[in-house]
């Protein structure tokens, strides 16, 4: 089995240390596998690469190899600090103290640019970075940082430091368990001109700070937000954004990103058990969908389809999404509004190849009455569909009607996957009849 890069580095360093301990000399006739000066004479850039492949505690230990390695770790360009590397038996508090002290000291003694900085405290949900994080971020803002990954504990939620917005050479950002406010956001003329990927997880947004942040990133291509919590209006406008994923709770979302190729939105609503009535979301879905031109994948999950207005069904200028190949919806096929929305998407996606539906049963405001059976079979909605996936299938009249329509109207269909919720024999018989009917049609 081939060795990984990290394992190879460790082997070379182990041989070097073994030589030092046993007094090996290159002057001997039988030279060892690794020459005495091999590691000492490595180019500085290669030494930096070697150290970046090691856990940071082991990287510090390389100062014992030789004089030329003594201060190499002080100029490492990629730093990753993991709380899990500082296990201390059952004394978690002692491990936290040693971890924070080590990180503090390492950054204080560091000399030179830091291109990548990572922090991971998820292994111990009780660790609190407290004011340390603000101090570390200030150091990073002065070191030409290009990539930041802060995977902090959910219990260690913090407001994004103002010094973060001074890291104007950032290209990749991943923040977890943080709070964004508009107080320290950069002016649009400044911002993050090189940032292409922004990942946020378990993030609380105040005001339109998220929209302002995106506006300050003129070259942002990927925006991935998981666990969003916002009670304010969010307005996201970007002409470079290609991939967008938003999961969480929000009350108003206005999107203008005409060049998206992949869109994934999952809306979560507070339940009435939280002491408040179920929240509503004002998502301008109709103009957003109409503004897309290059979209290839659409995924709408959670309660997002409850936000669809009936006006969406009356498009003054019906638009074909010629690049749209995959549609994934969490949908109640028995609700007239949601069924009409899905039908509109299918009608405007002539090159659709993959259809994935997570079927749910919500209280329908306007239930369907044989809606899918009434669709004109000459329309050919699914002429290019190859794969169909139905999840949580119950065999309701609406679900059976949709399945029958697709099986009859998909000439190139090659795979159907159905995950049911405990179907009885009668429903299974109906499915088998549909499958047999489709086979007879093909031949």
């Amino acid at each position: 089995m081939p060795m990984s890069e990290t394992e190879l580095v460790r082997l070379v360093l182990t041989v070097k240390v073994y030589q030092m301990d046993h007094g090996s000399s290159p002057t001997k006739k039988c030279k060892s596998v690794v020459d005495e000066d091999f590691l000492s004479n490595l180019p500085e850039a290669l030494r930096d690469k070697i150290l970046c492949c090691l856990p940071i505690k082991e990287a510090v230990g390389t100062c014992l190899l030789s004089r030329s390695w003594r201060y190499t770790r002080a100029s490492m360009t990629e730093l990753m600090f993991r709380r899990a590397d500082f296990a201390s038996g059952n004394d978690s508090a002692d491990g936290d103290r040693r971890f924070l002290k080590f990180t503090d000291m390492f950054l204080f003694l560091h000399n030179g640019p830091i291109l990548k900085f990572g922090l991971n405290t998820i292994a111990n949900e009780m660790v609190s970075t407290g004011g340390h994080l603000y101090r570390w971020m200030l150091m990073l803002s002065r070191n030409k940082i290009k990539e930041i990954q802060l995977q902090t504990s959910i219990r260690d939620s913090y407001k994004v430091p103002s010094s973060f917005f001074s890291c104007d050479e950032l290209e990749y950002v991943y923040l977890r368990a943080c709070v964004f406010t508009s107080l320290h956001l950069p002016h649009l003329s400044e911002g993050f001109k090189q940032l292409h990927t922004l990942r946020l997880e378990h993030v609380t947004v105040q005001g339109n700070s998220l929209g302002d942040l995106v506006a300050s990133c003129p070259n942002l291509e990927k925006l991935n937000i998981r666990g969003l919590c916002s009670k304010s209006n969010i307005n996201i406008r970007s002409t470079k954004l290609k991939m967008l994923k938003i999961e969480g709770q929000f009350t108003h979302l206005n999107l203008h990103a005409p060049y998206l190729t992949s869109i994934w939105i999952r809306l979560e609503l507070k339940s009435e058990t939280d002491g408040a009535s179920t929240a509503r979301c004002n998502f301008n879905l109709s103009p957003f969908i109409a503004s897309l031109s290059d979209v290839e994948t659409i995924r709408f999950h959670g309660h997002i389809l409850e936000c669809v207005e009936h006006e969406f069904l009356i498009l003054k200028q019906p638009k074909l999404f010629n690049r749209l190949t995959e549609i994934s919806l969490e949908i109640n096929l028995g609700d007239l509004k949601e069924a009409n929305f899905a039908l509109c998407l299918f009608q405007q996606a002539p090159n659709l190849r993959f259809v994935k539906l997570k079927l749910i049963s919500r209280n329908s405001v306007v239930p369907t009455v044989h809606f899918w059976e009434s669709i004109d079979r000459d329309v050919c909605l699914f002429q290019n569909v190859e794969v169909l996936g139905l999840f949580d299938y119950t065999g309701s009249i609406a679900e059976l009607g949709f399945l029958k329509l697709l099986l009859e109207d998909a000439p190139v269909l090659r795979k159907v996957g159905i995950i049911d919720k405990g179907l009885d024999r009668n429903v299974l018989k109906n499915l088998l009849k549909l499958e047999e009917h489709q086979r007879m049609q093909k031949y």
Side-chain angles (χ1 to χ4, degrees), residues 349-355 381-388 406 409-415:
N351 297 311
L352 185 63
R353 296 173 54 200
F354 305 96
V355 176
L381 289 177
F382 308 107
Q383 58 183 344
N384 290 310
V385 171
E386 300 176 9
V387 178
L388 168 67
L406 192 141
D409 195 41
V412 297
L413 186 68
R414 59 181 175 82
K415 183 177 181 180

mmCIF file with all atom_site columns, all heavy atoms in Angstrom, residues 349-355 381-388 406 409-415:
data_model
loop_
_atom_site.group_PDB
_atom_site.id
_atom_site.type_symbol
_atom_site.label_atom_id
_atom_site.label_alt_id
_atom_site.label_comp_id
_atom_site.label_asym_id
_atom_site.label_entity_id
_atom_site.label_seq_id
_atom_site.pdbx_PDB_ins_code
_atom_site.Cartn_x
_atom_site.Cartn_y
_atom_site.Cartn_z
_atom_site.occupancy
_atom_site.B_iso_or_equiv
_atom_site.pdbx_formal_charge
_atom_site.auth_seq_id
_atom_site.auth_comp_id
_atom_site.auth_asym_id
_atom_site.auth_atom_id
_atom_site.pdbx_PDB_model_num
ATOM 1   N N   . ALA A 1 349 ? -38.383 23.208 -18.448 1.00 0.00 ? 349 ALA A N   1
ATOM 2   C CA  . ALA A 1 349 ? -37.088 22.518 -18.419 1.00 0.00 ? 349 ALA A CA  1
ATOM 3   C C   . ALA A 1 349 ? -37.093 21.392 -19.451 1.00 0.00 ? 349 ALA A C   1
ATOM 4   O O   . ALA A 1 349 ? -37.227 20.212 -19.091 1.00 0.00 ? 349 ALA A O   1
ATOM 5   C CB  . ALA A 1 349 ? -36.808 21.981 -17.019 1.00 0.00 ? 349 ALA A CB  1
ATOM 6   N N   . PRO A 1 350 ? -36.929 21.709 -20.725 1.00 0.00 ? 350 PRO A N   1
ATOM 7   C CA  . PRO A 1 350 ? -37.011 20.682 -21.779 1.00 0.00 ? 350 PRO A CA  1
ATOM 8   C C   . PRO A 1 350 ? -35.893 19.649 -21.729 1.00 0.00 ? 350 PRO A C   1
ATOM 9   O O   . PRO A 1 350 ? -36.039 18.561 -22.289 1.00 0.00 ? 350 PRO A O   1
ATOM 10  C CB  . PRO A 1 350 ? -36.940 21.503 -23.072 1.00 0.00 ? 350 PRO A CB  1
ATOM 11  C CG  . PRO A 1 350 ? -36.215 22.761 -22.697 1.00 0.00 ? 350 PRO A CG  1
ATOM 12  C CD  . PRO A 1 350 ? -36.654 23.044 -21.290 1.00 0.00 ? 350 PRO A CD  1
ATOM 13  N N   . ASN A 1 351 ? -34.775 19.962 -21.080 1.00 0.00 ? 351 ASN A N   1
ATOM 14  C CA  . ASN A 1 351 ? -33.639 19.041 -21.022 1.00 0.00 ? 351 ASN A CA  1
ATOM 15  C C   . ASN A 1 351 ? -33.467 18.411 -19.645 1.00 0.00 ? 351 ASN A C   1
ATOM 16  O O   . ASN A 1 351 ? -32.375 17.959 -19.292 1.00 0.00 ? 351 ASN A O   1
ATOM 17  C CB  . ASN A 1 351 ? -32.356 19.773 -21.430 1.00 0.00 ? 351 ASN A CB  1
ATOM 18  C CG  . ASN A 1 351 ? -32.407 20.275 -22.860 1.00 0.00 ? 351 ASN A CG  1
ATOM 19  O OD1 . ASN A 1 351 ? -32.753 19.522 -23.773 1.00 0.00 ? 351 ASN A OD1 1
ATOM 20  N ND2 . ASN A 1 351 ? -32.093 21.545 -23.072 1.00 0.00 ? 351 ASN A ND2 1
ATOM 21  N N   . LEU A 1 352 ? -34.537 18.387 -18.878 1.00 0.00 ? 352 LEU A N   1
ATOM 22  C CA  . LEU A 1 352 ? -34.505 17.815 -17.542 1.00 0.00 ? 352 LEU A CA  1
ATOM 23  C C   . LEU A 1 352 ? -34.171 16.325 -17.608 1.00 0.00 ? 352 LEU A C   1
ATOM 24  O O   . LEU A 1 352 ? -34.764 15.572 -18.377 1.00 0.00 ? 352 LEU A O   1
ATOM 25  C CB  . LEU A 1 352 ? -35.872 18.021 -16.867 1.00 0.00 ? 352 LEU A CB  1
ATOM 26  C CG  . LEU A 1 352 ? -36.000 17.596 -15.410 1.00 0.00 ? 352 LEU A CG  1
ATOM 27  C CD1 . LEU A 1 352 ? -35.076 18.418 -14.525 1.00 0.00 ? 352 LEU A CD1 1
ATOM 28  C CD2 . LEU A 1 352 ? -37.446 17.742 -14.950 1.00 0.00 ? 352 LEU A CD2 1
ATOM 29  N N   . ARG A 1 353 ? -33.202 15.903 -16.764 1.00 0.00 ? 353 ARG A N   1
ATOM 30  C CA  . ARG A 1 353 ? -32.764 14.503 -16.768 1.00 0.00 ? 353 ARG A CA  1
ATOM 31  C C   . ARG A 1 353 ? -32.984 13.804 -15.425 1.00 0.00 ? 353 ARG A C   1
ATOM 32  O O   . ARG A 1 353 ? -33.185 12.599 -15.367 1.00 0.00 ? 353 ARG A O   1
ATOM 33  C CB  . ARG A 1 353 ? -31.284 14.427 -17.138 1.00 0.00 ? 353 ARG A CB  1
ATOM 34  C CG  . ARG A 1 353 ? -30.964 14.913 -18.541 1.00 0.00 ? 353 ARG A CG  1
ATOM 35  C CD  . ARG A 1 353 ? -29.467 14.957 -18.764 1.00 0.00 ? 353 ARG A CD  1
ATOM 36  N NE  . ARG A 1 353 ? -28.850 13.667 -18.472 1.00 0.00 ? 353 ARG A NE  1
ATOM 37  C CZ  . ARG A 1 353 ? -27.551 13.483 -18.198 1.00 0.00 ? 353 ARG A CZ  1
ATOM 38  N NH1 . ARG A 1 353 ? -26.752 14.540 -18.129 1.00 0.00 ? 353 ARG A NH1 1
ATOM 39  N NH2 . ARG A 1 353 ? -27.070 12.288 -17.959 1.00 0.00 ? 353 ARG A NH2 1
ATOM 40  N N   . PHE A 1 354 ? -32.903 14.568 -14.308 1.00 0.00 ? 354 PHE A N   1
ATOM 41  C CA  . PHE A 1 354 ? -33.022 13.965 -12.985 1.00 0.00 ? 354 PHE A CA  1
ATOM 42  C C   . PHE A 1 354 ? -34.138 14.651 -12.197 1.00 0.00 ? 354 PHE A C   1
ATOM 43  O O   . PHE A 1 354 ? -34.143 15.878 -12.074 1.00 0.00 ? 354 PHE A O   1
ATOM 44  C CB  . PHE A 1 354 ? -31.696 14.089 -12.220 1.00 0.00 ? 354 PHE A CB  1
ATOM 45  C CG  . PHE A 1 354 ? -30.520 13.521 -12.949 1.00 0.00 ? 354 PHE A CG  1
ATOM 46  C CD1 . PHE A 1 354 ? -29.686 14.340 -13.706 1.00 0.00 ? 354 PHE A CD1 1
ATOM 47  C CD2 . PHE A 1 354 ? -30.234 12.170 -12.889 1.00 0.00 ? 354 PHE A CD2 1
ATOM 48  C CE1 . PHE A 1 354 ? -28.602 13.833 -14.384 1.00 0.00 ? 354 PHE A CE1 1
ATOM 49  C CE2 . PHE A 1 354 ? -29.144 11.641 -13.570 1.00 0.00 ? 354 PHE A CE2 1
ATOM 50  C CZ  . PHE A 1 354 ? -28.334 12.470 -14.324 1.00 0.00 ? 354 PHE A CZ  1
ATOM 51  N N   . VAL A 1 355 ? -35.057 13.855 -11.654 1.00 0.00 ? 355 VAL A N   1
ATOM 52  C CA  . VAL A 1 355 ? -36.141 14.372 -10.825 1.00 0.00 ? 355 VAL A CA  1
ATOM 53  C C   . VAL A 1 355 ? -36.103 13.640 -9.494  1.00 0.00 ? 355 VAL A C   1
ATOM 54  O O   . VAL A 1 355 ? -36.184 12.402 -9.446  1.00 0.00 ? 355 VAL A O   1
ATOM 55  C CB  . VAL A 1 355 ? -37.514 14.175 -11.490 1.00 0.00 ? 355 VAL A CB  1
ATOM 56  C CG1 . VAL A 1 355 ? -38.629 14.639 -10.553 1.00 0.00 ? 355 VAL A CG1 1
ATOM 57  C CG2 . VAL A 1 355 ? -37.584 14.929 -12.814 1.00 0.00 ? 355 VAL A CG2 1
ATOM 58  N N   . LEU A 1 381 ? -43.776 16.308 -20.934 1.00 0.00 ? 381 LEU A N   1
ATOM 59  C CA  . LEU A 1 381 ? -43.034 17.012 -19.893 1.00 0.00 ? 381 LEU A CA  1
ATOM 60  C C   . LEU A 1 381 ? -41.690 16.362 -19.602 1.00 0.00 ? 381 LEU A C   1
ATOM 61  O O   . LEU A 1 381 ? -40.714 17.044 -19.297 1.00 0.00 ? 381 LEU A O   1
ATOM 62  C CB  . LEU A 1 381 ? -43.851 17.045 -18.599 1.00 0.00 ? 381 LEU A CB  1
ATOM 63  C CG  . LEU A 1 381 ? -45.082 17.940 -18.564 1.00 0.00 ? 381 LEU A CG  1
ATOM 64  C CD1 . LEU A 1 381 ? -45.791 17.764 -17.226 1.00 0.00 ? 381 LEU A CD1 1
ATOM 65  C CD2 . LEU A 1 381 ? -44.702 19.388 -18.769 1.00 0.00 ? 381 LEU A CD2 1
ATOM 66  N N   . PHE A 1 382 ? -41.642 15.054 -19.668 1.00 0.00 ? 382 PHE A N   1
ATOM 67  C CA  . PHE A 1 382 ? -40.466 14.329 -19.185 1.00 0.00 ? 382 PHE A CA  1
ATOM 68  C C   . PHE A 1 382 ? -39.770 13.558 -20.304 1.00 0.00 ? 382 PHE A C   1
ATOM 69  O O   . PHE A 1 382 ? -39.293 12.442 -20.100 1.00 0.00 ? 382 PHE A O   1
ATOM 70  C CB  . PHE A 1 382 ? -40.882 13.374 -18.067 1.00 0.00 ? 382 PHE A CB  1
ATOM 71  C CG  . PHE A 1 382 ? -41.680 14.024 -16.972 1.00 0.00 ? 382 PHE A CG  1
ATOM 72  C CD1 . PHE A 1 382 ? -43.042 13.793 -16.839 1.00 0.00 ? 382 PHE A CD1 1
ATOM 73  C CD2 . PHE A 1 382 ? -41.069 14.883 -16.070 1.00 0.00 ? 382 PHE A CD2 1
ATOM 74  C CE1 . PHE A 1 382 ? -43.777 14.398 -15.831 1.00 0.00 ? 382 PHE A CE1 1
ATOM 75  C CE2 . PHE A 1 382 ? -41.787 15.492 -15.069 1.00 0.00 ? 382 PHE A CE2 1
ATOM 76  C CZ  . PHE A 1 382 ? -43.150 15.258 -14.950 1.00 0.00 ? 382 PHE A CZ  1
ATOM 77  N N   . GLN A 1 383 ? -39.666 14.145 -21.464 1.00 0.00 ? 383 GLN A N   1
ATOM 78  C CA  . GLN A 1 383 ? -39.131 13.425 -22.620 1.00 0.00 ? 383 GLN A CA  1
ATOM 79  C C   . GLN A 1 383 ? -37.657 13.074 -22.487 1.00 0.00 ? 383 GLN A C   1
ATOM 80  O O   . GLN A 1 383 ? -37.179 12.137 -23.132 1.00 0.00 ? 383 GLN A O   1
ATOM 81  C CB  . GLN A 1 383 ? -39.341 14.256 -23.885 1.00 0.00 ? 383 GLN A CB  1
ATOM 82  C CG  . GLN A 1 383 ? -38.701 15.637 -23.847 1.00 0.00 ? 383 GLN A CG  1
ATOM 83  C CD  . GLN A 1 383 ? -38.993 16.439 -25.090 1.00 0.00 ? 383 GLN A CD  1
ATOM 84  O OE1 . GLN A 1 383 ? -39.413 15.882 -26.099 1.00 0.00 ? 383 GLN A OE1 1
ATOM 85  N NE2 . GLN A 1 383 ? -38.776 17.745 -25.018 1.00 0.00 ? 383 GLN A NE2 1
ATOM 86  N N   . ASN A 1 384 ? -36.908 13.795 -21.631 1.00 0.00 ? 384 ASN A N   1
ATOM 87  C CA  . ASN A 1 384 ? -35.479 13.520 -21.462 1.00 0.00 ? 384 ASN A CA  1
ATOM 88  C C   . ASN A 1 384 ? -35.113 13.024 -20.069 1.00 0.00 ? 384 ASN A C   1
ATOM 89  O O   . ASN A 1 384 ? -33.936 12.863 -19.750 1.00 0.00 ? 384 ASN A O   1
ATOM 90  C CB  . ASN A 1 384 ? -34.658 14.767 -21.784 1.00 0.00 ? 384 ASN A CB  1
ATOM 91  C CG  . ASN A 1 384 ? -34.680 15.111 -23.266 1.00 0.00 ? 384 ASN A CG  1
ATOM 92  O OD1 . ASN A 1 384 ? -34.432 14.251 -24.098 1.00 0.00 ? 384 ASN A OD1 1
ATOM 93  N ND2 . ASN A 1 384 ? -34.985 16.359 -23.584 1.00 0.00 ? 384 ASN A ND2 1
ATOM 94  N N   . VAL A 1 385 ? -36.114 12.774 -19.234 1.00 0.00 ? 385 VAL A N   1
ATOM 95  C CA  . VAL A 1 385 ? -35.843 12.326 -17.859 1.00 0.00 ? 385 VAL A CA  1
ATOM 96  C C   . VAL A 1 385 ? -35.319 10.901 -17.869 1.00 0.00 ? 385 VAL A C   1
ATOM 97  O O   . VAL A 1 385 ? -35.927 9.997  -18.446 1.00 0.00 ? 385 VAL A O   1
ATOM 98  C CB  . VAL A 1 385 ? -37.108 12.433 -16.991 1.00 0.00 ? 385 VAL A CB  1
ATOM 99  C CG1 . VAL A 1 385 ? -36.876 11.771 -15.633 1.00 0.00 ? 385 VAL A CG1 1
ATOM 100 C CG2 . VAL A 1 385 ? -37.496 13.885 -16.801 1.00 0.00 ? 385 VAL A CG2 1
ATOM 101 N N   . GLU A 1 386 ? -34.168 10.707 -17.206 1.00 0.00 ? 386 GLU A N   1
ATOM 102 C CA  . GLU A 1 386 ? -33.528 9.393  -17.137 1.00 0.00 ? 386 GLU A CA  1
ATOM 103 C C   . GLU A 1 386 ? -33.665 8.746  -15.763 1.00 0.00 ? 386 GLU A C   1
ATOM 104 O O   . GLU A 1 386 ? -33.722 7.524  -15.655 1.00 0.00 ? 386 GLU A O   1
ATOM 105 C CB  . GLU A 1 386 ? -32.044 9.522  -17.476 1.00 0.00 ? 386 GLU A CB  1
ATOM 106 C CG  . GLU A 1 386 ? -31.763 10.069 -18.864 1.00 0.00 ? 386 GLU A CG  1
ATOM 107 C CD  . GLU A 1 386 ? -30.270 10.252 -19.106 1.00 0.00 ? 386 GLU A CD  1
ATOM 108 O OE1 . GLU A 1 386 ? -29.473 9.790  -18.257 1.00 0.00 ? 386 GLU A OE1 1
ATOM 109 O OE2 . GLU A 1 386 ? -29.903 10.867 -20.116 1.00 0.00 ? 386 GLU A OE2 1
ATOM 110 N N   . VAL A 1 387 ? -33.693 9.572  -14.705 1.00 0.00 ? 387 VAL A N   1
ATOM 111 C CA  . VAL A 1 387 ? -33.708 9.033  -13.341 1.00 0.00 ? 387 VAL A CA  1
ATOM 112 C C   . VAL A 1 387 ? -34.805 9.717  -12.527 1.00 0.00 ? 387 VAL A C   1
ATOM 113 O O   . VAL A 1 387 ? -34.935 10.949 -12.545 1.00 0.00 ? 387 VAL A O   1
ATOM 114 C CB  . VAL A 1 387 ? -32.346 9.248  -12.637 1.00 0.00 ? 387 VAL A CB  1
ATOM 115 C CG1 . VAL A 1 387 ? -32.397 8.737  -11.206 1.00 0.00 ? 387 VAL A CG1 1
ATOM 116 C CG2 . VAL A 1 387 ? -31.229 8.554  -13.417 1.00 0.00 ? 387 VAL A CG2 1
ATOM 117 N N   . LEU A 1 388 ? -35.602 8.921  -11.830 1.00 0.00 ? 388 LEU A N   1
ATOM 118 C CA  . LEU A 1 388 ? -36.641 9.431  -10.931 1.00 0.00 ? 388 LEU A CA  1
ATOM 119 C C   . LEU A 1 388 ? -36.414 8.855  -9.548  1.00 0.00 ? 388 LEU A C   1
ATOM 120 O O   . LEU A 1 388 ? -36.220 7.647  -9.379  1.00 0.00 ? 388 LEU A O   1
ATOM 121 C CB  . LEU A 1 388 ? -38.029 9.030  -11.432 1.00 0.00 ? 388 LEU A CB  1
ATOM 122 C CG  . LEU A 1 388 ? -39.185 9.259  -10.449 1.00 0.00 ? 388 LEU A CG  1
ATOM 123 C CD1 . LEU A 1 388 ? -39.395 10.750 -10.212 1.00 0.00 ? 388 LEU A CD1 1
ATOM 124 C CD2 . LEU A 1 388 ? -40.471 8.605  -10.940 1.00 0.00 ? 388 LEU A CD2 1
ATOM 125 N N   . LEU A 1 406 ? -45.484 10.303 -15.120 1.00 0.00 ? 406 LEU A N   1
ATOM 126 C CA  . LEU A 1 406 ? -44.074 10.287 -15.490 1.00 0.00 ? 406 LEU A CA  1
ATOM 127 C C   . LEU A 1 406 ? -43.690 8.987  -16.195 1.00 0.00 ? 406 LEU A C   1
ATOM 128 O O   . LEU A 1 406 ? -42.953 8.998  -17.188 1.00 0.00 ? 406 LEU A O   1
ATOM 129 C CB  . LEU A 1 406 ? -43.205 10.489 -14.249 1.00 0.00 ? 406 LEU A CB  1
ATOM 130 C CG  . LEU A 1 406 ? -41.733 10.787 -14.555 1.00 0.00 ? 406 LEU A CG  1
ATOM 131 C CD1 . LEU A 1 406 ? -41.185 11.828 -13.596 1.00 0.00 ? 406 LEU A CD1 1
ATOM 132 C CD2 . LEU A 1 406 ? -40.875 9.525  -14.495 1.00 0.00 ? 406 LEU A CD2 1
ATOM 133 N N   . ASP A 1 409 ? -44.821 9.152  -19.689 1.00 0.00 ? 409 ASP A N   1
ATOM 134 C CA  . ASP A 1 409 ? -44.355 10.302 -20.473 1.00 0.00 ? 409 ASP A CA  1
ATOM 135 C C   . ASP A 1 409 ? -42.834 10.424 -20.506 1.00 0.00 ? 409 ASP A C   1
ATOM 136 O O   . ASP A 1 409 ? -42.316 11.464 -20.850 1.00 0.00 ? 409 ASP A O   1
ATOM 137 C CB  . ASP A 1 409 ? -44.976 11.588 -19.878 1.00 0.00 ? 409 ASP A CB  1
ATOM 138 C CG  . ASP A 1 409 ? -44.854 12.762 -20.820 1.00 0.00 ? 409 ASP A CG  1
ATOM 139 O OD1 . ASP A 1 409 ? -45.046 12.577 -22.032 1.00 0.00 ? 409 ASP A OD1 1
ATOM 140 O OD2 . ASP A 1 409 ? -44.533 13.867 -20.343 1.00 0.00 ? 409 ASP A OD2 1
ATOM 141 N N   . ALA A 1 410 ? -42.110 9.372  -20.117 1.00 0.00 ? 410 ALA A N   1
ATOM 142 C CA  . ALA A 1 410 ? -40.638 9.432  -20.067 1.00 0.00 ? 410 ALA A CA  1
ATOM 143 C C   . ALA A 1 410 ? -40.061 8.292  -20.894 1.00 0.00 ? 410 ALA A C   1
ATOM 144 O O   . ALA A 1 410 ? -39.751 7.219  -20.359 1.00 0.00 ? 410 ALA A O   1
ATOM 145 C CB  . ALA A 1 410 ? -40.160 9.358  -18.618 1.00 0.00 ? 410 ALA A CB  1
ATOM 146 N N   . PRO A 1 411 ? -39.875 8.490  -22.176 1.00 0.00 ? 411 PRO A N   1
ATOM 147 C CA  . PRO A 1 411 ? -39.428 7.407  -23.060 1.00 0.00 ? 411 PRO A CA  1
ATOM 148 C C   . PRO A 1 411 ? -38.012 6.919  -22.808 1.00 0.00 ? 411 PRO A C   1
ATOM 149 O O   . PRO A 1 411 ? -37.673 5.791  -23.155 1.00 0.00 ? 411 PRO A O   1
ATOM 150 C CB  . PRO A 1 411 ? -39.544 8.029  -24.466 1.00 0.00 ? 411 PRO A CB  1
ATOM 151 C CG  . PRO A 1 411 ? -39.458 9.505  -24.242 1.00 0.00 ? 411 PRO A CG  1
ATOM 152 C CD  . PRO A 1 411 ? -40.118 9.742  -22.925 1.00 0.00 ? 411 PRO A CD  1
ATOM 153 N N   . VAL A 1 412 ? -37.150 7.765  -22.215 1.00 0.00 ? 412 VAL A N   1
ATOM 154 C CA  . VAL A 1 412 ? -35.759 7.350  -21.991 1.00 0.00 ? 412 VAL A CA  1
ATOM 155 C C   . VAL A 1 412 ? -35.485 7.050  -20.519 1.00 0.00 ? 412 VAL A C   1
ATOM 156 O O   . VAL A 1 412 ? -34.325 6.931  -20.108 1.00 0.00 ? 412 VAL A O   1
ATOM 157 C CB  . VAL A 1 412 ? -34.778 8.439  -22.497 1.00 0.00 ? 412 VAL A CB  1
ATOM 158 C CG1 . VAL A 1 412 ? -34.909 8.630  -23.993 1.00 0.00 ? 412 VAL A CG1 1
ATOM 159 C CG2 . VAL A 1 412 ? -34.972 9.756  -21.755 1.00 0.00 ? 412 VAL A CG2 1
ATOM 160 N N   . LEU A 1 413 ? -36.524 6.922  -19.728 1.00 0.00 ? 413 LEU A N   1
ATOM 161 C CA  . LEU A 1 413 ? -36.362 6.626  -18.303 1.00 0.00 ? 413 LEU A CA  1
ATOM 162 C C   . LEU A 1 413 ? -35.665 5.277  -18.127 1.00 0.00 ? 413 LEU A C   1
ATOM 163 O O   . LEU A 1 413 ? -36.080 4.272  -18.694 1.00 0.00 ? 413 LEU A O   1
ATOM 164 C CB  . LEU A 1 413 ? -37.728 6.598  -17.612 1.00 0.00 ? 413 LEU A CB  1
ATOM 165 C CG  . LEU A 1 413 ? -37.721 6.443  -16.088 1.00 0.00 ? 413 LEU A CG  1
ATOM 166 C CD1 . LEU A 1 413 ? -37.136 7.679  -15.421 1.00 0.00 ? 413 LEU A CD1 1
ATOM 167 C CD2 . LEU A 1 413 ? -39.138 6.187  -15.568 1.00 0.00 ? 413 LEU A CD2 1
ATOM 168 N N   . ARG A 1 414 ? -34.568 5.261  -17.333 1.00 0.00 ? 414 ARG A N   1
ATOM 169 C CA  . ARG A 1 414 ? -33.808 4.035  -17.136 1.00 0.00 ? 414 ARG A CA  1
ATOM 170 C C   . ARG A 1 414 ? -33.721 3.593  -15.679 1.00 0.00 ? 414 ARG A C   1
ATOM 171 O O   . ARG A 1 414 ? -33.338 2.463  -15.395 1.00 0.00 ? 414 ARG A O   1
ATOM 172 C CB  . ARG A 1 414 ? -32.403 4.195  -17.706 1.00 0.00 ? 414 ARG A CB  1
ATOM 173 C CG  . ARG A 1 414 ? -31.591 5.326  -17.108 1.00 0.00 ? 414 ARG A CG  1
ATOM 174 C CD  . ARG A 1 414 ? -30.208 5.451  -17.741 1.00 0.00 ? 414 ARG A CD  1
ATOM 175 N NE  . ARG A 1 414 ? -29.474 6.602  -17.243 1.00 0.00 ? 414 ARG A NE  1
ATOM 176 C CZ  . ARG A 1 414 ? -28.806 6.631  -16.108 1.00 0.00 ? 414 ARG A CZ  1
ATOM 177 N NH1 . ARG A 1 414 ? -28.791 5.554  -15.339 1.00 0.00 ? 414 ARG A NH1 1
ATOM 178 N NH2 . ARG A 1 414 ? -28.165 7.723  -15.736 1.00 0.00 ? 414 ARG A NH2 1
ATOM 179 N N   . LYS A 1 415 ? -34.079 4.493  -14.741 1.00 0.00 ? 415 LYS A N   1
ATOM 180 C CA  . LYS A 1 415 ? -33.970 4.113  -13.335 1.00 0.00 ? 415 LYS A CA  1
ATOM 181 C C   . LYS A 1 415 ? -35.036 4.823  -12.507 1.00 0.00 ? 415 LYS A C   1
ATOM 182 O O   . LYS A 1 415 ? -35.225 6.023  -12.630 1.00 0.00 ? 415 LYS A O   1
ATOM 183 C CB  . LYS A 1 415 ? -32.584 4.475  -12.794 1.00 0.00 ? 415 LYS A CB  1
ATOM 184 C CG  . LYS A 1 415 ? -32.352 4.046  -11.340 1.00 0.00 ? 415 LYS A CG  1
ATOM 185 C CD  . LYS A 1 415 ? -30.935 4.365  -10.890 1.00 0.00 ? 415 LYS A CD  1
ATOM 186 C CE  . LYS A 1 415 ? -30.695 3.923  -9.456  1.00 0.00 ? 415 LYS A CE  1
ATOM 187 N NZ  . LYS A 1 415 ? -29.322 4.233  -8.991  1.00 0.00 ? 415 LYS A NZ  1
#
